Amino acid sequence: MRKGTALVVGATGITGGNLAAYLVASGWAVYGLSRSAPEQSGIIPVAADLMDKQATDKALNGLPITHVFYCTWIRRDNEKANVEANSTMMRHLFEALDSDQLQHASLVTGTKQYLGSFEAYGSGRIETPFRESEPRVPGDNFYYALEDVMFETAERHGFSWNVHRPHTVIGNARGNAMNMGTTIAVYASICKATGKPFVFPGSQIQWNALTDMTDALVLARQMEWAATTPGAANQAFNTVNGDVFRWRRMWREIGEYFGLEVADCPETPQPLDEQMKDADSIWRDIAQKNALVEPDVSKLASWWHTDADLGRDQECVNDTTKSRDYGFDHFRETRAAFFDLFTRLKEEKIIP
């Protein structure tokens, strides 16, 4: 028996791709929307650019969508432009859907809810652990704009909603702009191939402070749970694995997994954007020698986003008490999430 008809927006991303696969396995009819139609087993592809209202209307016309899972975003040159572009995309989506059939909308944002936008990153100095009840950080933030569009549309049409706030997501997805797990795996593989020490690229604060992360399957489980549990409707939930760790231990454990010499954390950050300037040609050689499926390193690694996460100068820990109080108790060891991803990347010939 079908649980509902889901539209996963951003179905080729790290969050949307893993969510779509999970919903299919859980008994949903799933449409996957992206600019290039996703090729995923059991998912009905829908191709549309949400910036194009006419194309969005045409692509979604007549689809029997009961639940929307919004897992996408677009990056512009500054946050004002981010706000304008991302809110426009969501408005076009809701305007194209049949509001009489729509029962629920889920929005994925993240820890920039508490830290501030990309251009004001770290301006939010909220005490850890971050709680969902914290006020918004002053200034433009496209997360807030997306929330407001969803809140306004839900009130107008009478459907329920949830907001999910993961910290850096671990999962398998090629060509994704926010993919730390695969980025670290590619970096480690380059270090091994070239004899380069495995240097932590971030700040001393991130090296030493407590932090947490989100496995893509934990996020998928929480999204389905919240969307189908009446008591959890119209709530925002932090979404992390349930454990905390320090990078100074995790980095060494990752280095051991790849058989690497792990250097001490430098006094000043050593961004991957700088370390990996020659990665394109190095990776093509590695891919050729090992018959890897993707020779273009830019489709695997997101140096800039991993630098942003690991270069923070403040502790980032998310409180999940609210989610547990509402009845969601799934958890995942972050170290195991990393290692399982690395093993899968090797099996699929993405890394050597």
Side-chain angles (χ1 to χ4, degrees):
M1 181 178 177
R2 292 290 188 190
K3 292 184 176 181
T5 302
L7 176 67
V8 177
V9 184
T12 57
I14 189 169
T15 295
N18 285 280
L19 171 65
Y22 177 77
L23 292 176
V24 168
S26 298
W28 292 70
V30 179
Y31 290 85
L33 188 151
S34 64
R35 279 176 291 181
S36 57
E39 297 179 6
Q40 223 174 323
S41 177
I43 296 167
I44 305 164
V46 180
D49 180 352
L50 290 178
M51 290 297 293
D52 185 334
K53 177 173 172 52
Q54 186 175 3
T56 302
D57 288 343
K58 183 178 179 181
L60 298 179
N61 182 49
L63 298 188
I65 305 301
T66 60
H67 292 69
V68 167
F69 297 90
Y70 197 90
C71 312
T72 193
W73 69 290
I74 191 169
R75 191 180 186 191
R76 295 297 194 230
D77 291 337
N78 57 65
E79 197 61 20
K80 283 189 180 298
N82 284 340
V83 167
E84 176 62 27
N86 284 280
S87 58
T88 295
M89 288 167 60
M90 182 176 270
R91 286 193 183 96
H92 287 171
L93 173 78
F94 282 129
E95 288 167 0
L97 292 171
D98 183 349
S99 58
D100 291 334
Q101 293 189 91
L102 191 58
Q103 300 172 19
H104 187 86
S106 300
L107 166 64
V108 178
T109 59
T111 307
K112 286 190 293 297
Q113 174 81 20
Y114 311 113
L115 294 174
S117 66
F118 280 122
E119 64 186 35
Y121 209 46
S123 61
R125 291 290 170 175
I126 296 170
E127 186 71 31
T128 56
F130 302 138
R131 294 174 180 159
E132 295 90 340
S133 58
E134 300 291 353
R136 290 177 172 180
V137 177
D140 291 323
N141 190 322
F142 79 86
Y143 285 180
Y144 307 157
L146 288 174
E147 285 187 343
D148 289 343
V149 171
M150 184 176 68
F151 296 159
E152 173 192 341
T153 310
E155 184 174 4
R156 187 185 323 127
H157 295 294
F159 58 82
S160 59
W161 56 265
N162 286 112
V163 179
H164 300 267
R165 298 171 183 165
H167 197 179
T168 308
V169 179
I170 308 171
N172 191 24
R174 274 191 274 169
N176 183 261
M178 303 173 75
N179 195 340
M180 180 191 282
T182 303
T183 298
I184 290 175
V186 169
Y187 173 51
S189 300
I190 290 174
C191 289
K192 189 163 188 176
T194 61
K196 173 184 171 65
F198 190 49
V199 178
F200 184 73
S203 67
Q204 286 273 342
I205 291 176
Q206 284 305 299
W207 180 254
N208 291 307
L210 288 171
T211 192
D212 51 28
M213 292 183 73
T214 305
D215 184 272
L217 184 57
V218 171
L219 178 54
R221 287 176 181 270
Q222 192 199 58
M223 292 180 76
E224 185 198 31
W225 161 80
T228 57
T229 302
N234 304 331
Q235 298 293 329
F237 294 109
N238 290 336
T239 319
V240 288
N241 288 339
D243 63 351
V244 294
F245 65 93
R246 300 182 201 275
W247 275 110
R248 67 190 187 207
R249 175 186 285 181
M250 185 70 76
W251 197 256
R252 292 190 176 99
E253 290 173 334
I254 292 173
E256 290 171 3
Y257 177 95
F258 285 98
L260 291 169
E261 173 193 348
V262 179
D264 289 334
C265 181
E267 288 295 320
T268 57
Q270 307 291 313
L272 291 174
D273 249 348
E274 293 294 321
Q275 289 193 54
M276 295 287 102
K277 278 185 174 179
D278 299 324
D280 289 358
S281 59
I282 294 171
W283 188 256
R284 287 191 185 279
D285 289 343
I286 293 172
Q288 184 176 17
K289 289 175 183 177
N290 295 278
L292 303 183
V293 298
E294 182 52 74
D296 185 351
V297 75
S298 68
K299 293 182 179 179
L300 299 174
S302 50
W303 310 126
W304 68 271
H305 189 265
T306 297
D307 284 339
D309 274 356
L310 298 182
R312 297 171 184 153
D313 63 355
Q314 67 183 98
E315 181 181 77
C316 296
V317 177
N318 292 268
D319 191 325
T320 57
T321 302
K322 178 180 178 182
S323 182
R324 292 195 301 271
D325 280 348
Y326 274 76
F328 182 77
D329 57 5
H330 191 73
F331 65 91
R332 183 85 161 96
E333 185 197 27
T334 300
R335 179 178 58 175
F338 270 125
F339 292 174
D340 286 353
L341 172 62
F342 299 155
T343 299
R344 180 176 176 181
L345 294 175
K346 287 185 175 184
E347 291 173 348
E348 296 181 359
K349 298 296 288 182
I350 293 172
I351 62 172

